[in-house]
Amino acid sequence: MASQLRLRSALALVTGAGSGIGRAVSARLAREGAAVAACDLDEAAARDTVRLLGGPAREEGAPGGKHAAFQADVSQAAAARRLLEQVQACFSRPPSVVVSCAGITRDEFLLQMSENDWDKVLAVNLKGIFLITQAAAQALVSSGCHGSIINISSIVGKVGNIGQTNYAASKAGVIGLTQTAARELGRHGIRCNSVLPGFITTPMTQKMPQKVQDKVTGIIPMGHMGDPEDVADVVAFLASGDSGYITGTSVEVTGGLFM
Ligand SMILES: CCCCCCCCCCCCCC(=O)CC(=O)SCCNC(=O)CCNC(=O)[C@H](O)C(C)(C)COP(=O)(O)OP(=O)(O)OC[C@H]1O[C@@H](n2cnc3c(N)ncnc32)[C@H](O)[C@@H]1OP(=O)(O)O
Ligand SMILES: NC(=O)C1=CN([C@@H]2O[C@H](COP(=O)(O)OP(=O)(O)OC[C@H]3O[C@@H](n4cnc5c(N)ncnc54)[C@H](O)[C@@H]3O)[C@@H](O)[C@H]2O)C=CC1
């Protein structure tokens, strides 16, 4: 039972909380007792996630509910700063758990990839994690609070993938960013780890051509795609004291794909 409420004193900020892995992470952290600040570019989707967590939503300035929804574009510095301000105003404390799930794809072969598709993916997937990690770390350090920052990379950041020069670069960058943050923030009691999901059933992967989906599934040692909850299991562990001496790591959740 204890492990089921190991996050009862935590406030968790989850970006990309309106869909897929971010929604599953929000549900799992809430189930383990955390208050969840669910953020998404799509505010309605973030609100839907908070409704799924159960109980009344906490609106800024009207404390009552346990969880709250926020709208922000993580790729914009002012929005990232404003998000951390709004979360602290709503909950009277900085988030002790920060999970960056917000991410996009703009897939194309290198020979045809546009600069715009490169820029957009790097802005959301890498710069967005820089901005959120920085704003959250600044809030935690200035308040003397410890924390756990979990950044969602991808197995593609480790091995590359056809059609994803932009995405692969962004996800490889997330690993290096997180390792560096771990080196700098450890002395402040802030742990930073990356999670590298493999092929997970979400709207993001459902956009892939079916023939490619079939190709990938055929080479997964466990023989099937993963669920968002498989990723949430690892995120909850990294968020909790059960991983208290783990920082700077990259945890692969892939069914053995590209081990
Ligand atoms: C033995 C198979 C090995 C497969 C390895 C694949 C690993 C993928 C793991 C993903 C796990 C993590 C995913 C993640 O982090 C979340 C995401 O990023 S989900 C999106 C992942 N995106 C892709 O994998 C790219 C998929 N491809 C496309 O979207 C289109 O092909 C593309 C827009 C790049 C080009 O479209 P188009 O010009 O229409 O060409 P085709 O679609 O007809 O493709 C031509 C040819 O190339 C083959 N192909 C395309 N992508 C891949 C790929 N990723 N891996 C392997 N092969 C690919 C495609 O099957 C065609 O082959 P033919 O034999 O000519 O039919
Ligand atoms: N689905 C998969 O197989 C894998 C996914 N990932 C990563 O996991 C994370 C979540 O992916 P999924 O749940 O599959 O995708 P998804 O598309 O279901 O959810 C992504 C969420 O991020 C939000 N978002 C997009 N841009 C944003 C922005 N600028 N600011 C704030 N929110 C924004 C979207 O509105 C959406 O709700 C992404 O970072 C993705 O790259 C990594 C490996 C595998």
Side-chain angles (χ1 to χ4, degrees), residues 49-84:
T49 293
V50 168
R51 271 191 285 276
L52 288 171
L53 302 184
R58 170 182 290 217
E59 298 304 330
E60 188 172 349
K66 184 168 185 178
H67 313 297
F70 299 86
Q71 191 282 336
D73 177 349
V74 298
S75 70
Q76 301 301 310
R81 284 195 299 271
R82 184 168 57 249
L83 172 64
L84 269 292

Side-chain angles (χ1 to χ4, degrees), residues 232-244:
D233 288 341
V234 172
V235 170
F237 166 70
L238 291 172
S240 78
D242 290 343
S243 58

Side-chain angles (χ1 to χ4, degrees), residues 70-250:
F70 299 86
Q71 191 282 336
D73 177 349
V74 298
S75 70
Q76 301 301 310
R81 284 195 299 271
R82 184 168 57 249
L83 172 64
L84 269 292
E85 290 164 2
Q86 288 173 337
V87 169
Q88 293 177 88
C90 186
F91 290 94
S92 304
R93 57 179 165 146
S96 54
V97 173
V98 180
V99 190
S100 280
C101 300
I104 61 171
T105 60
R106 295 286 187 276
D107 296 343
E108 185 51 273
F109 294 121
L110 170 62
L111 295 179
Q112 287 86 39
M113 184 172 287
S114 71
E115 182 181 356
N116 183 57
D117 281 346
W118 171 273
D119 288 344
K120 184 63 180 168
V121 168
L122 273 292
V124 175
N125 295 7
L126 183 54
K127 183 179 175 184
I129 286 188
F130 159 69
L131 293 171
I132 292 296
T133 300
Q134 182 185 56
Q138 287 170 339
L140 287 165
V141 170
S142 61
S143 57
C145 296
H146 290 182
S148 176
I149 296 172
I150 300 143
N151 292 327
I152 307 300
S153 175
S154 167
I155 197 66
V156 167
K158 172 185 166 185
V159 300
N161 183 30
I162 292 173
Q164 293 202 296
T165 41
N166 50 2
Y167 184 86
S170 75
K171 294 302 185 176
V174 169
I175 296 167
L177 181 158
T178 306
Q179 289 171 321
T180 302
R183 292 180 185 276
E184 293 187 19
L185 299 176
R187 65 176 60 88
H188 298 288
I190 301 168
R191 298 182 295 112
C192 304
N193 292 286
S194 297
V195 174
L196 280 58
F199 203 39
I200 309 298
T201 304
T202 76
M204 181 176 278
T205 46
Q206 297 313 293
K207 290 187 293 192
M208 293 168 66
Q210 188 57 50
K211 58 186 170 183
V212 180
Q213 291 190 47
D214 296 342
K215 275 185 181 179
V216 181
T217 307
I219 63 169
I220 301 172
M222 289 186 72
H224 61 85
M225 294 178 72
D227 295 320
E229 289 73 20
D230 295 319
V231 181
D233 288 341
V234 172
V235 170
F237 166 70
L238 291 172
S240 78
D242 290 343
S243 58
Y245 198 56
I246 298 177
T247 194
T249 60
S250 300

